[in-house]
Amino acid sequence: MNTEFTFTINNVCLDENYHPADNTRATTNFANLARGESRQQNLRNALKMINNSFNALAYWDNPKADRYSVELEIISVGMDIENSGESFPSIEVLKTNIVDHQTNERIEGIVGNNFSSYVRDYDFSILLGAHNKGQAQFSVPDNFGELHGKIFKYFVNSNAYKQHFKKLPVICLSVSDNKTYHRTDNRHPVLGFEYQPNGSSLTEQYFKKMGLQVRYFMPPNSVAPLAFYFFGDLLNDYSNLELISTISTMETFQKIYRPEIYNANAVAGNCYQPNLQNQDHSLTHIVYDREERSKLAIKQGKYAEEHFIKPYQAVLEQWSANYAV
């Protein structure tokens, strides 16, 4: 089968003047912040938190903790099937760039960080729900996540990706609140202590089909581990500053979105179970609508079903059956 998917990559600066595009998923962390009366103050505060976190971690030769700032780009990936001229918003991620104010150098950071996908919304909010409706026991459909995973790997291996980005992506997510994490003796100077979960989560399995492996680290100054999804060798493929750019960006979003875990007043111990009901936490001065986020996930899943899954079902099924990395 010679079906080719064409990817287009667009980028827009995520700053205090950012307005979400019409095809941006409204549940994406940065898009949620950029809505409503507090949108500009939300963005300004979030960016300040990121810069403060970055300088706290990159403390060497940085006595006033003001040497660096982080610039963020939203990378939107459109997918054209069979050169139809119609582009579906398949993937949206963040790219970090680091500004060294001492050397006046702009250093490329990491692409990935936040991960947004309408097809993932379809899988988790539509397909998974329909499969388990009326069932006494939860189960996962056959081939769950395979199409999404193959599309992601196809994109990362595409010429479009290689022309825009020098390194493979790293995606940073929160830990699962239904797993227990045990601290190991492995400690990285930037990523911090490594943790091991007591089992695999559905998210881990889903991202594994995207070709990504996962490791859990709790960076210095943090109170809970983060999940780092990556290709290759996380500890050696990226510089300290690159890793810090991801940590400072994504932990800031997690402090806003999941303060019960990432803005808790107690630090995770040797044996740690995240708790979304934890009352001993602090809130940021940033407005974030979590209730709306959960409702919109279903709406976004239906959008993917209507505009992508159903119209191209035969083509996608045939392509998926024949595609191998």
Side-chain angles (χ1 to χ4, degrees), residues 189-322:
V190 165
L191 292 167
F193 279 108
E194 183 166 18
Y195 278 73
Q196 292 282 359
N198 64 340
S200 176
S201 68
L202 184 56
T203 298
E204 281 186 25
Q205 296 163 25
Y206 194 81
F207 276 73
K208 186 176 182 180
K209 292 187 176 181
M210 296 162 61
L212 297 163
Q213 52 188 311
V214 63
R215 293 177 74 170
Y216 298 89
F217 287 91
M218 185 170 73
N221 309 324
S222 300
V223 298
L226 291 159
F228 295 88
Y229 288 87
F230 60 96
F231 297 96
D233 187 342
L234 177 67
L235 276 60
N236 293 300
D237 290 347
Y238 305 91
S239 71
N240 284 343
L241 291 182
E242 287 173 334
L243 292 172
I244 290 172
S245 72
T246 285
I247 294 166
S248 59
T249 299
M250 296 314 300
E251 187 176 53
T252 292
F253 284 132
Q254 296 300 348
K255 283 181 178 179
I256 298 165
Y257 174 47
R258 287 193 162 173
E260 298 89 347
I261 296 175
Y262 290 98
N263 220 26
N265 295 324
V267 179
N270 291 333
C271 179
Y272 174 65
Q273 181 166 9
N275 180 13
L276 287 172
Q277 306 305 315
N278 172 36
Q279 297 299 310
D280 186 22
H281 67 273
S282 302
L283 296 176
T284 64
H285 297 289
I286 297 173
V287 180
Y288 194 101
D289 194 332
R290 290 199 288 184
E291 182 179 352
E292 182 188 43
R293 175 188 169 105
S294 61
K295 293 177 181 177
L296 283 172
I298 297 174
K299 183 178 179 180
Q300 291 164 175
K302 290 179 178 177
Y303 175 87
E305 182 179 37
E306 180 182 346
H307 295 276
F308 185 72
I309 300 296
K310 285 186 175 179
Y312 300 107
Q313 185 171 2
V315 174
L316 291 170
E317 287 178 354
Q318 188 177 359
W319 174 82
S320 182
N322 288 276

Side-chain angles (χ1 to χ4, degrees), residues 6 78-88 312:
T6 303
M79 181 176 171
D80 186 349
I81 298 179
E82 295 186 311
N83 294 315
S84 64
E86 295 292 328
S87 184
F88 178 78
Y312 300 107

Side-chain angles (χ1 to χ4, degrees), residues 86-123:
E86 295 292 328
S87 184
F88 178 78
S90 59
I91 296 166
E92 202 163 55
V93 293
L94 281 180
K95 183 176 184 294
T96 59
N97 296 291
I98 305 145
V99 179
D100 185 338
H101 298 286
Q102 181 171 303
T103 64
N104 292 321
E105 182 183 7
R106 192 169 184 269
I107 305 162
E108 191 169 350
I110 287 178
V111 64
N113 301 288
N114 192 90
F115 179 76
S116 177
S117 165
Y118 277 110
V119 177
R120 184 174 65 164
D121 284 334
Y122 167 76
D123 284 339

Side-chain angles (χ1 to χ4, degrees), residues 31-49:
N32 191 298
L33 298 183
R35 301 164 68 208
E37 295 180 1
S38 304
R39 54 165 305 281
Q40 192 169 55
Q41 192 63 44
N42 278 346
L43 292 167
R44 188 179 296 139
N45 288 344
L47 293 169
K48 185 175 181 180
M49 287 174 65

Side-chain angles (χ1 to χ4, degrees), residues 25-172:
R25 288 170 65 253
T27 58
T28 301
N29 286 323
F30 49 80
N32 191 298
L33 298 183
R35 301 164 68 208
E37 295 180 1
S38 304
R39 54 165 305 281
Q40 192 169 55
Q41 192 63 44
N42 278 346
L43 292 167
R44 188 179 296 139
N45 288 344
L47 293 169
K48 185 175 181 180
M49 287 174 65
I50 291 169
N51 288 335
N52 288 343
S53 175
F54 188 101
N55 282 289
L57 288 170
Y59 57 84
W60 56 92
D61 292 336
N62 189 8
K64 294 183 179 180
D66 62 356
R67 176 171 176 172
Y68 302 100
S69 60
V70 179
E71 294 179 350
L72 298 175
E73 293 178 80
I74 300 166
I75 307 298
S76 301
V77 183
M79 181 176 171
D80 186 349
I81 298 179
E82 295 186 311
N83 294 315
S84 64
E86 295 292 328
S87 184
F88 178 78
S90 59
I91 296 166
E92 202 163 55
V93 293
L94 281 180
K95 183 176 184 294
T96 59
N97 296 291
I98 305 145
V99 179
D100 185 338
H101 298 286
Q102 181 171 303
T103 64
N104 292 321
E105 182 183 7
R106 192 169 184 269
I107 305 162
E108 191 169 350
I110 287 178
V111 64
N113 301 288
N114 192 90
F115 179 76
S116 177
S117 165
Y118 277 110
V119 177
R120 184 174 65 164
D121 284 334
Y122 167 76
D123 284 339
F124 278 90
S125 298
I126 305 299
L127 183 62
L128 200 59
H131 177 77
N132 284 283
K133 187 176 182 179
Q135 301 298 314
Q137 190 171 356
F138 177 84
S139 65
V140 178
D142 293 337
N143 302 323
F144 182 71
E146 286 196 10
L147 173 64
H148 180 270
K150 289 179 178 180
I151 290 172
F152 182 77
K153 287 186 283 188
Y154 189 76
F155 168 62
V156 171
N157 284 286
S158 70
N159 288 331
Y161 184 92
K162 294 172 183 176
Q163 288 169 4
H164 281 82
F165 312 112
K166 295 178 182 178
K167 293 187 178 183
L168 293 169
V170 176
I171 296 165
C172 184

